[in-house]
Amino acid sequence: MNQQATGKSSEGGSGVGPALSDAEFELFRRLIYDTAGISMAPSKKALISGRLSKRLRDLGYATFREYFQWIDKSKDAAALRERQNAIDHLTTNETYFFREPRHFEFVEQRLIPHWAGRSVRLWSAASSSGEEAYTLAMVMEKHHRGGWEIVGTDISTRVVAAATRGQYPLARANNIPREHLKNFCLKGVGEHNGTFRIDSRLRRKVSFRPANLREDLSAVGMCDLIMLRNVLIYFDMDVKKKVVANVLRQLKPGGCLMVGHAESLHGVTSEVKPVQPATYIKEAK
Ligand SMILES: C[S@@+](CC[C@H](N)C(=O)[O-])C[C@H]1O[C@@H](n2cnc3c(N)ncnc32)[C@H](O)[C@@H]1O
């Protein structure tokens, strides 16, 4: 089982950790594809090796294969936790406030007037550390007259925990309009210096939980708007079709689906109709 790290690879690598062989890369590539649907090109080998080598070192594994076999085969709680940890390390979580601002303009100018007076439920379906959901929350709190609730989900439990905290380095506040910063963000003091936190008034209406887009998503409930942005790019056509069909089951007829502007639903689904770039409406049946 656990061996002390030797600092030398049994496969001939040198330096701070073991080298990742092509066969070992294939084991992790398969794991992330089978679990999350994420396709990893061979060019991602250095990325996998970089992200996981510290875990190997910390846990005392001499090779990637031994580490993989432990998280893949063992059913003990520590191995299951570490499997989730490995998945967390293999996802790419880049996100920021007011990313792709045309979507938030569409929410303000087209959706909110349409929702006037109604209670709505919105879903950030690959929410990462929460910036997308809280951006939406700022727009809703300022403009929507009526109840609203936002749920954020992600396969990575690490980012779900960060999103729930809703606390970010001050540098992340760059894209947030001054007025929203003033109204919805609290500057950290003392030990929280250099950070800001989303006001509890917004955090109360935004909740986060882990969810895999390939699995049953009915616990999310039915939604008026779903943001499924900058996650489809990691999927092949087969996974994209399944994920989009799965997600659309939670979209009310007449509801809105947004994907990233670099993503396309061409050939993926005929359940929604485009209304502007990367923005779709589900036809009422
Ligand atoms: C690049 S981030 C996008 C964040 C945000 N939607 C945005 O556009 O800024 C992609 C997120 O998708 C998540 N993800 C990848 N595969 C997933 C899956 N099968 N189920 C749920 N989340 C997934 C990753 O963990 C990551 O946090």
PDB file of all heavy atoms in Angstrom, residues 56-87:
ATOM      1  N   LEU A  56       0.438  12.544  -4.818  1.00  0.00           N
ATOM      2  CA  LEU A  56       1.234  11.315  -4.664  1.00  0.00           C
ATOM      3  C   LEU A  56       2.275  11.505  -3.568  1.00  0.00           C
ATOM      4  O   LEU A  56       2.440  10.654  -2.699  1.00  0.00           O
ATOM      5  CB  LEU A  56       1.971  11.002  -5.982  1.00  0.00           C
ATOM      6  CG  LEU A  56       1.346   9.949  -6.878  1.00  0.00           C
ATOM      7  CD1 LEU A  56       0.114  10.530  -7.554  1.00  0.00           C
ATOM      8  CD2 LEU A  56       2.330   9.485  -7.929  1.00  0.00           C
ATOM      9  N   ARG A  57       2.959  12.624  -3.658  1.00  0.00           N
ATOM     10  CA  ARG A  57       4.019  12.906  -2.675  1.00  0.00           C
ATOM     11  C   ARG A  57       3.440  12.956  -1.273  1.00  0.00           C
ATOM     12  O   ARG A  57       3.915  12.292  -0.361  1.00  0.00           O
ATOM     13  CB  ARG A  57       4.682  14.249  -2.989  1.00  0.00           C
ATOM     14  CG  ARG A  57       5.864  14.163  -3.920  1.00  0.00           C
ATOM     15  CD  ARG A  57       6.810  15.346  -3.739  1.00  0.00           C
ATOM     16  NE  ARG A  57       6.167  16.651  -3.798  1.00  0.00           N
ATOM     17  CZ  ARG A  57       5.809  17.259  -4.930  1.00  0.00           C
ATOM     18  NH1 ARG A  57       6.005  16.661  -6.093  1.00  0.00           N
ATOM     19  NH2 ARG A  57       5.262  18.456  -4.907  1.00  0.00           N
ATOM     20  N   ASP A  58       2.342  13.720  -1.108  1.00  0.00           N
ATOM     21  CA  ASP A  58       1.753  13.880   0.223  1.00  0.00           C
ATOM     22  C   ASP A  58       1.294  12.543   0.792  1.00  0.00           C
ATOM     23  O   ASP A  58       1.344  12.308   1.996  1.00  0.00           O
ATOM     24  CB  ASP A  58       0.563  14.847   0.167  1.00  0.00           C
ATOM     25  CG  ASP A  58       1.012  16.280  -0.077  1.00  0.00           C
ATOM     26  OD1 ASP A  58       2.239  16.521  -0.034  1.00  0.00           O
ATOM     27  OD2 ASP A  58       0.148  17.152  -0.320  1.00  0.00           O
ATOM     28  N   LEU A  59       0.790  11.663  -0.083  1.00  0.00           N
ATOM     29  CA  LEU A  59       0.248  10.388   0.394  1.00  0.00           C
ATOM     30  C   LEU A  59       1.300   9.283   0.426  1.00  0.00           C
ATOM     31  O   LEU A  59       1.038   8.185   0.899  1.00  0.00           O
ATOM     32  CB  LEU A  59      -0.927   9.959  -0.493  1.00  0.00           C
ATOM     33  CG  LEU A  59      -2.173  10.846  -0.366  1.00  0.00           C
ATOM     34  CD1 LEU A  59      -3.103  10.645  -1.547  1.00  0.00           C
ATOM     35  CD2 LEU A  59      -2.902  10.542   0.931  1.00  0.00           C
ATOM     36  N   GLY A  60       2.467   9.559  -0.119  1.00  0.00           N
ATOM     37  CA  GLY A  60       3.553   8.590  -0.061  1.00  0.00           C
ATOM     38  C   GLY A  60       3.500   7.517  -1.127  1.00  0.00           C
ATOM     39  O   GLY A  60       4.019   6.409  -0.909  1.00  0.00           O
ATOM     40  N   TYR A  61       2.875   7.780  -2.252  1.00  0.00           N
ATOM     41  CA  TYR A  61       2.878   6.799  -3.352  1.00  0.00           C
ATOM     42  C   TYR A  61       4.075   7.027  -4.260  1.00  0.00           C
ATOM     43  O   TYR A  61       4.373   8.173  -4.612  1.00  0.00           O
ATOM     44  CB  TYR A  61       1.580   6.882  -4.165  1.00  0.00           C
ATOM     45  CG  TYR A  61       0.451   6.173  -3.463  1.00  0.00           C
ATOM     46  CD1 TYR A  61      -0.459   6.881  -2.689  1.00  0.00           C
ATOM     47  CD2 TYR A  61       0.340   4.786  -3.538  1.00  0.00           C
ATOM     48  CE1 TYR A  61      -1.465   6.230  -2.008  1.00  0.00           C
ATOM     49  CE2 TYR A  61      -0.664   4.133  -2.857  1.00  0.00           C
ATOM     50  CZ  TYR A  61      -1.560   4.854  -2.101  1.00  0.00           C
ATOM     51  OH  TYR A  61      -2.538   4.207  -1.418  1.00  0.00           O
ATOM     52  N   ALA A  62       4.710   5.911  -4.655  1.00  0.00           N
ATOM     53  CA  ALA A  62       5.918   6.029  -5.480  1.00  0.00           C
ATOM     54  C   ALA A  62       5.579   6.139  -6.961  1.00  0.00           C
ATOM     55  O   ALA A  62       6.374   6.677  -7.731  1.00  0.00           O
ATOM     56  CB  ALA A  62       6.832   4.825  -5.242  1.00  0.00           C
ATOM     57  N   THR A  63       4.432   5.613  -7.372  1.00  0.00           N
ATOM     58  CA  THR A  63       4.076   5.698  -8.799  1.00  0.00           C
ATOM     59  C   THR A  63       2.615   6.113  -8.949  1.00  0.00           C
ATOM     60  O   THR A  63       1.783   5.886  -8.065  1.00  0.00           O
ATOM     61  CB  THR A  63       4.256   4.336  -9.519  1.00  0.00           C
ATOM     62  OG1 THR A  63       3.266   3.439  -9.028  1.00  0.00           O
ATOM     63  CG2 THR A  63       5.642   3.761  -9.324  1.00  0.00           C
ATOM     64  N   PHE A  64       2.310   6.694 -10.114  1.00  0.00           N
ATOM     65  CA  PHE A  64       0.931   7.075 -10.423  1.00  0.00           C
ATOM     66  C   PHE A  64       0.030   5.839 -10.483  1.00  0.00           C
ATOM     67  O   PHE A  64      -1.133   5.897 -10.115  1.00  0.00           O
ATOM     68  CB  PHE A  64       0.883   7.822 -11.772  1.00  0.00           C
ATOM     69  CG  PHE A  64       1.323   9.253 -11.678  1.00  0.00           C
ATOM     70  CD1 PHE A  64       2.642   9.609 -11.977  1.00  0.00           C
ATOM     71  CD2 PHE A  64       0.442  10.242 -11.282  1.00  0.00           C
ATOM     72  CE1 PHE A  64       3.046  10.931 -11.875  1.00  0.00           C
ATOM     73  CE2 PHE A  64       0.844  11.569 -11.189  1.00  0.00           C
ATOM     74  CZ  PHE A  64       2.152  11.911 -11.486  1.00  0.00           C
ATOM     75  N   ARG A  65       0.592   4.715 -10.947  1.00  0.00           N
ATOM     76  CA  ARG A  65      -0.230   3.505 -11.064  1.00  0.00           C
ATOM     77  C   ARG A  65      -0.715   3.029  -9.690  1.00  0.00           C
ATOM     78  O   ARG A  65      -1.876   2.689  -9.508  1.00  0.00           O
ATOM     79  CB  ARG A  65       0.562   2.383 -11.760  1.00  0.00           C
ATOM     80  CG  ARG A  65      -0.250   1.109 -11.984  1.00  0.00           C
ATOM     81  CD  ARG A  65       0.551   0.068 -12.731  1.00  0.00           C
ATOM     82  NE  ARG A  65       0.844   0.483 -14.093  1.00  0.00           N
ATOM     83  CZ  ARG A  65       0.018   0.355 -15.122  1.00  0.00           C
ATOM     84  NH1 ARG A  65      -1.170  -0.188 -14.948  1.00  0.00           N
ATOM     85  NH2 ARG A  65       0.371   0.750 -16.319  1.00  0.00           N
ATOM     86  N   GLU A  66       0.198   3.035  -8.708  1.00  0.00           N
ATOM     87  CA  GLU A  66      -0.201   2.589  -7.353  1.00  0.00           C
ATOM     88  C   GLU A  66      -1.285   3.504  -6.783  1.00  0.00           C
ATOM     89  O   GLU A  66      -2.258   3.047  -6.185  1.00  0.00           O
ATOM     90  CB  GLU A  66       1.004   2.596  -6.410  1.00  0.00           C
ATOM     91  CG  GLU A  66       1.992   1.480  -6.664  1.00  0.00           C
ATOM     92  CD  GLU A  66       3.295   1.731  -5.913  1.00  0.00           C
ATOM     93  OE1 GLU A  66       3.251   2.277  -4.790  1.00  0.00           O
ATOM     94  OE2 GLU A  66       4.357   1.389  -6.453  1.00  0.00           O
ATOM     95  N   TYR A  67      -1.078   4.802  -6.967  1.00  0.00           N
ATOM     96  CA  TYR A  67      -2.078   5.778  -6.491  1.00  0.00           C
ATOM     97  C   TYR A  67      -3.412   5.518  -7.189  1.00  0.00           C
ATOM     98  O   TYR A  67      -4.469   5.449  -6.555  1.00  0.00           O
ATOM     99  CB  TYR A  67      -1.555   7.186  -6.787  1.00  0.00           C
ATOM    100  CG  TYR A  67      -2.551   8.307  -6.577  1.00  0.00           C
ATOM    101  CD1 TYR A  67      -2.894   8.747  -5.302  1.00  0.00           C
ATOM    102  CD2 TYR A  67      -3.133   8.959  -7.681  1.00  0.00           C
ATOM    103  CE1 TYR A  67      -3.800   9.797  -5.126  1.00  0.00           C
ATOM    104  CE2 TYR A  67      -4.036  10.003  -7.500  1.00  0.00           C
ATOM    105  CZ  TYR A  67      -4.361  10.410  -6.223  1.00  0.00           C
ATOM    106  OH  TYR A  67      -5.262  11.437  -6.055  1.00  0.00           O
ATOM    107  N   PHE A  68      -3.351   5.313  -8.519  1.00  0.00           N
ATOM    108  CA  PHE A  68      -4.582   5.093  -9.279  1.00  0.00           C
ATOM    109  C   PHE A  68      -5.302   3.837  -8.777  1.00  0.00           C
ATOM    110  O   PHE A  68      -6.525   3.838  -8.573  1.00  0.00           O
ATOM    111  CB  PHE A  68      -4.284   4.949 -10.785  1.00  0.00           C
ATOM    112  CG  PHE A  68      -5.523   4.650 -11.576  1.00  0.00           C
ATOM    113  CD1 PHE A  68      -6.350   5.687 -11.985  1.00  0.00           C
ATOM    114  CD2 PHE A  68      -5.920   3.344 -11.843  1.00  0.00           C
ATOM    115  CE1 PHE A  68      -7.538   5.427 -12.669  1.00  0.00           C
ATOM    116  CE2 PHE A  68      -7.091   3.076 -12.519  1.00  0.00           C
ATOM    117  CZ  PHE A  68      -7.911   4.120 -12.932  1.00  0.00           C
ATOM    118  N   GLN A  69      -4.521   2.753  -8.585  1.00  0.00           N
ATOM    119  CA  GLN A  69      -5.164   1.497  -8.166  1.00  0.00           C
ATOM    120  C   GLN A  69      -5.857   1.646  -6.819  1.00  0.00           C
ATOM    121  O   GLN A  69      -6.926   1.096  -6.597  1.00  0.00           O
ATOM    122  CB  GLN A  69      -4.144   0.359  -8.157  1.00  0.00           C
ATOM    123  CG  GLN A  69      -3.962  -0.150  -9.568  1.00  0.00           C
ATOM    124  CD  GLN A  69      -2.743  -1.022  -9.759  1.00  0.00           C
ATOM    125  OE1 GLN A  69      -1.875  -1.090  -8.882  1.00  0.00           O
ATOM    126  NE2 GLN A  69      -2.676  -1.679 -10.911  1.00  0.00           N
ATOM    127  N   TRP A  70      -5.245   2.423  -5.945  1.00  0.00           N
ATOM    128  CA  TRP A  70      -5.873   2.632  -4.629  1.00  0.00           C
ATOM    129  C   TRP A  70      -7.210   3.369  -4.789  1.00  0.00           C
ATOM    130  O   TRP A  70      -8.237   2.914  -4.294  1.00  0.00           O
ATOM    131  CB  TRP A  70      -4.914   3.432  -3.727  1.00  0.00           C
ATOM    132  CG  TRP A  70      -5.493   3.731  -2.375  1.00  0.00           C
ATOM    133  CD1 TRP A  70      -6.019   2.827  -1.488  1.00  0.00           C
ATOM    134  CD2 TRP A  70      -5.638   5.022  -1.767  1.00  0.00           C
ATOM    135  NE1 TRP A  70      -6.475   3.471  -0.364  1.00  0.00           N
ATOM    136  CE2 TRP A  70      -6.242   4.827  -0.501  1.00  0.00           C
ATOM    137  CE3 TRP A  70      -5.285   6.312  -2.154  1.00  0.00           C
ATOM    138  CZ2 TRP A  70      -6.515   5.879   0.363  1.00  0.00           C
ATOM    139  CZ3 TRP A  70      -5.551   7.359  -1.291  1.00  0.00           C
ATOM    140  CH2 TRP A  70      -6.173   7.143  -0.055  1.00  0.00           C
ATOM    141  N   ILE A  71      -7.232   4.494  -5.519  1.00  0.00           N
ATOM    142  CA  ILE A  71      -8.487   5.258  -5.620  1.00  0.00           C
ATOM    143  C   ILE A  71      -9.510   4.553  -6.490  1.00  0.00           C
ATOM    144  O   ILE A  71     -10.703   4.756  -6.361  1.00  0.00           O
ATOM    145  CB  ILE A  71      -8.280   6.719  -6.124  1.00  0.00           C
ATOM    146  CG1 ILE A  71      -7.656   6.745  -7.517  1.00  0.00           C
ATOM    147  CG2 ILE A  71      -7.454   7.529  -5.150  1.00  0.00           C
ATOM    148  CD1 ILE A  71      -7.603   8.143  -8.128  1.00  0.00           C
ATOM    149  N   ASP A  72      -9.040   3.681  -7.383  1.00  0.00           N
ATOM    150  CA  ASP A  72      -9.972   3.009  -8.301  1.00  0.00           C
ATOM    151  C   ASP A  72     -10.601   1.775  -7.665  1.00  0.00           C
ATOM    152  O   ASP A  72     -11.770   1.488  -7.872  1.00  0.00           O
ATOM    153  CB  ASP A  72      -9.223   2.615  -9.573  1.00  0.00           C
ATOM    154  CG  ASP A  72     -10.182   2.137 -10.663  1.00  0.00           C
ATOM    155  OD1 ASP A  72     -11.188   2.839 -10.886  1.00  0.00           O
ATOM    156  OD2 ASP A  72      -9.928   1.084 -11.271  1.00  0.00           O
ATOM    157  N   LYS A  73      -9.816   1.057  -6.858  1.00  0.00           N
ATOM    158  CA  LYS A  73     -10.287  -0.247  -6.375  1.00  0.00           C
ATOM    159  C   LYS A  73     -10.801  -0.230  -4.943  1.00  0.00           C
ATOM    160  O   LYS A  73     -11.785  -0.886  -4.619  1.00  0.00           O
ATOM    161  CB  LYS A  73      -9.142  -1.284  -6.454  1.00  0.00           C
ATOM    162  CG  LYS A  73      -8.649  -1.560  -7.873  1.00  0.00           C
ATOM    163  CD  LYS A  73      -9.480  -2.651  -8.523  1.00  0.00           C
ATOM    164  CE  LYS A  73      -9.201  -2.944  -9.979  1.00  0.00           C
ATOM    165  NZ  LYS A  73      -8.762  -1.891 -10.838  1.00  0.00           N
ATOM    166  N   SER A  74     -10.097   0.525  -4.081  1.00  0.00           N
ATOM    167  CA  SER A  74     -10.438   0.439  -2.661  1.00  0.00           C
ATOM    168  C   SER A  74     -11.779   1.123  -2.386  1.00  0.00           C
ATOM    169  O   SER A  74     -12.115   2.140  -2.976  1.00  0.00           O
ATOM    170  CB  SER A  74      -9.340   1.101  -1.830  1.00  0.00           C
ATOM    171  OG  SER A  74      -9.783   1.181  -0.497  1.00  0.00           O
ATOM    172  N   LYS A  75     -12.540   0.511  -1.475  1.00  0.00           N
ATOM    173  CA  LYS A  75     -13.847   1.100  -1.129  1.00  0.00           C
ATOM    174  C   LYS A  75     -13.785   1.805   0.226  1.00  0.00           C
ATOM    175  O   LYS A  75     -14.811   2.241   0.738  1.00  0.00           O
ATOM    176  CB  LYS A  75     -14.927   0.000  -1.077  1.00  0.00           C
ATOM    177  CG  LYS A  75     -15.172  -0.678  -2.422  1.00  0.00           C
ATOM    178  CD  LYS A  75     -16.081   0.167  -3.318  1.00  0.00           C
ATOM    179  CE  LYS A  75     -16.267  -0.416  -4.703  1.00  0.00           C
ATOM    180  NZ  LYS A  75     -15.298   0.086  -5.705  1.00  0.00           N
ATOM    181  N   ASP A  76     -12.576   1.873   0.823  1.00  0.00           N
ATOM    182  CA  ASP A  76     -12.557   2.528   2.131  1.00  0.00           C
ATOM    183  C   ASP A  76     -12.759   4.036   1.975  1.00  0.00           C
ATOM    184  O   ASP A  76     -12.542   4.610   0.897  1.00  0.00           O
ATOM    185  CB  ASP A  76     -11.325   2.141   2.976  1.00  0.00           C
ATOM    186  CG  ASP A  76     -10.036   2.758   2.506  1.00  0.00           C
ATOM    187  OD1 ASP A  76     -10.029   3.970   2.245  1.00  0.00           O
ATOM    188  OD2 ASP A  76      -9.036   2.020   2.413  1.00  0.00           O
ATOM    189  N   ALA A  77     -13.221   4.662   3.059  1.00  0.00           N
ATOM    190  CA  ALA A  77     -13.666   6.064   2.981  1.00  0.00           C
ATOM    191  C   ALA A  77     -12.544   6.984   2.495  1.00  0.00           C
ATOM    192  O   ALA A  77     -12.782   7.899   1.705  1.00  0.00           O
ATOM    193  CB  ALA A  77     -14.178   6.510   4.351  1.00  0.00           C
ATOM    194  N   ALA A  78     -11.310   6.705   2.965  1.00  0.00           N
ATOM    195  CA  ALA A  78     -10.195   7.583   2.577  1.00  0.00           C
ATOM    196  C   ALA A  78      -9.956   7.491   1.075  1.00  0.00           C
ATOM    197  O   ALA A  78      -9.681   8.500   0.410  1.00  0.00           O
ATOM    198  CB  ALA A  78      -8.942   7.182   3.343  1.00  0.00           C
ATOM    199  N   ALA A  79     -10.081   6.283   0.507  1.00  0.00           N
ATOM    200  CA  ALA A  79      -9.857   6.114  -0.940  1.00  0.00           C
ATOM    201  C   ALA A  79     -10.963   6.806  -1.731  1.00  0.00           C
ATOM    202  O   ALA A  79     -10.703   7.448  -2.754  1.00  0.00           O
ATOM    203  CB  ALA A  79      -9.792   4.627  -1.288  1.00  0.00           C
ATOM    204  N   LEU A  80     -12.208   6.697  -1.234  1.00  0.00           N
ATOM    205  CA  LEU A  80     -13.321   7.353  -1.930  1.00  0.00           C
ATOM    206  C   LEU A  80     -13.144   8.872  -1.910  1.00  0.00           C
ATOM    207  O   LEU A  80     -13.369   9.559  -2.896  1.00  0.00           O
ATOM    208  CB  LEU A  80     -14.661   6.959  -1.305  1.00  0.00           C
ATOM    209  CG  LEU A  80     -15.059   5.481  -1.499  1.00  0.00           C
ATOM    210  CD1 LEU A  80     -16.361   5.179  -0.770  1.00  0.00           C
ATOM    211  CD2 LEU A  80     -15.196   5.131  -2.979  1.00  0.00           C
ATOM    212  N   ARG A  81     -12.705   9.390  -0.737  1.00  0.00           N
ATOM    213  CA  ARG A  81     -12.450  10.836  -0.625  1.00  0.00           C
ATOM    214  C   ARG A  81     -11.348  11.257  -1.591  1.00  0.00           C
ATOM    215  O   ARG A  81     -11.430  12.267  -2.256  1.00  0.00           O
ATOM    216  CB  ARG A  81     -12.034  11.176   0.810  1.00  0.00           C
ATOM    217  CG  ARG A  81     -13.177  11.684   1.677  1.00  0.00           C
ATOM    218  CD  ARG A  81     -12.672  12.434   2.908  1.00  0.00           C
ATOM    219  NE  ARG A  81     -11.589  11.778   3.616  1.00  0.00           N
ATOM    220  CZ  ARG A  81     -11.757  10.808   4.521  1.00  0.00           C
ATOM    221  NH1 ARG A  81     -12.955  10.364   4.818  1.00  0.00           N
ATOM    222  NH2 ARG A  81     -10.713  10.259   5.127  1.00  0.00           N
ATOM    223  N   GLU A  82     -10.311  10.409  -1.663  1.00  0.00           N
ATOM    224  CA  GLU A  82      -9.190  10.766  -2.526  1.00  0.00           C
ATOM    225  C   GLU A  82      -9.576  10.679  -4.008  1.00  0.00           C
ATOM    226  O   GLU A  82      -9.080  11.436  -4.837  1.00  0.00           O
ATOM    227  CB  GLU A  82      -7.983   9.867  -2.230  1.00  0.00           C
ATOM    228  CG  GLU A  82      -6.726  10.260  -2.971  1.00  0.00           C
ATOM    229  CD  GLU A  82      -6.295  11.725  -2.735  1.00  0.00           C
ATOM    230  OE1 GLU A  82      -6.589  12.293  -1.670  1.00  0.00           O
ATOM    231  OE2 GLU A  82      -5.673  12.300  -3.657  1.00  0.00           O
ATOM    232  N   ARG A  83     -10.504   9.773  -4.335  1.00  0.00           N
ATOM    233  CA  ARG A  83     -10.983   9.669  -5.719  1.00  0.00           C
ATOM    234  C   ARG A  83     -11.650  11.005  -6.100  1.00  0.00           C
ATOM    235  O   ARG A  83     -11.412  11.560  -7.163  1.00  0.00           O
ATOM    236  CB  ARG A  83     -11.983   8.509  -5.811  1.00  0.00           C
ATOM    237  CG  ARG A  83     -12.378   8.167  -7.217  1.00  0.00           C
ATOM    238  CD  ARG A  83     -13.295   6.942  -7.193  1.00  0.00           C
ATOM    239  NE  ARG A  83     -13.369   6.318  -8.488  1.00  0.00           N
ATOM    240  CZ  ARG A  83     -14.159   6.728  -9.471  1.00  0.00           C
ATOM    241  NH1 ARG A  83     -14.953   7.758  -9.292  1.00  0.00           N
ATOM    242  NH2 ARG A  83     -14.149   6.131 -10.636  1.00  0.00           N
ATOM    243  N   GLN A  84     -12.473  11.504  -5.177  1.00  0.00           N
ATOM    244  CA  GLN A  84     -13.131  12.794  -5.420  1.00  0.00           C
ATOM    245  C   GLN A  84     -12.078  13.901  -5.545  1.00  0.00           C
ATOM    246  O   GLN A  84     -12.161  14.762  -6.411  1.00  0.00           O
ATOM    247  CB  GLN A  84     -14.108  13.102  -4.281  1.00  0.00           C
ATOM    248  CG  GLN A  84     -14.782  14.469  -4.382  1.00  0.00           C
ATOM    249  CD  GLN A  84     -15.685  14.620  -5.618  1.00  0.00           C
ATOM    250  OE1 GLN A  84     -16.508  13.762  -5.903  1.00  0.00           O
ATOM    251  NE2 GLN A  84     -15.500  15.710  -6.366  1.00  0.00           N
ATOM    252  N   ASN A  85     -11.067  13.809  -4.682  1.00  0.00           N
ATOM    253  CA  ASN A  85      -9.975  14.785  -4.718  1.00  0.00           C
ATOM    254  C   ASN A  85      -9.258  14.778  -6.073  1.00  0.00           C
ATOM    255  O   ASN A  85      -8.948  15.835  -6.642  1.00  0.00           O
ATOM    256  CB  ASN A  85      -8.983  14.392  -3.620  1.00  0.00           C
ATOM    257  CG  ASN A  85      -8.349  15.602  -2.999  1.00  0.00           C
ATOM    258  OD1 ASN A  85      -8.286  16.653  -3.628  1.00  0.00           O
ATOM    259  ND2 ASN A  85      -7.867  15.460  -1.787  1.00  0.00           N
ATOM    260  N   ALA A  86      -9.029  13.561  -6.590  1.00  0.00           N
ATOM    261  CA  ALA A  86      -8.372  13.441  -7.903  1.00  0.00           C
ATOM    262  C   ALA A  86      -9.262  14.054  -8.981  1.00  0.00           C
ATOM    263  O   ALA A  86      -8.790  14.806  -9.835  1.00  0.00           O
ATOM    264  CB  ALA A  86      -8.071  11.975  -8.212  1.00  0.00           C
ATOM    265  N   ILE A  87     -10.568  13.765  -8.919  1.00  0.00           N
ATOM    266  CA  ILE A  87     -11.509  14.345  -9.893  1.00  0.00           C
ATOM    267  C   ILE A  87     -11.438  15.878  -9.804  1.00  0.00           C
ATOM    268  O   ILE A  87     -11.351  16.572 -10.809  1.00  0.00           O
ATOM    269  CB  ILE A  87     -12.971  13.875  -9.604  1.00  0.00           C
ATOM    270  CG1 ILE A  87     -13.100  12.353  -9.690  1.00  0.00           C
ATOM    271  CG2 ILE A  87     -13.977  14.571 -10.519  1.00  0.00           C
ATOM    272  CD1 ILE A  87     -12.949  11.763 -11.045  1.00  0.00           C
TER     273      ILE A  87
END
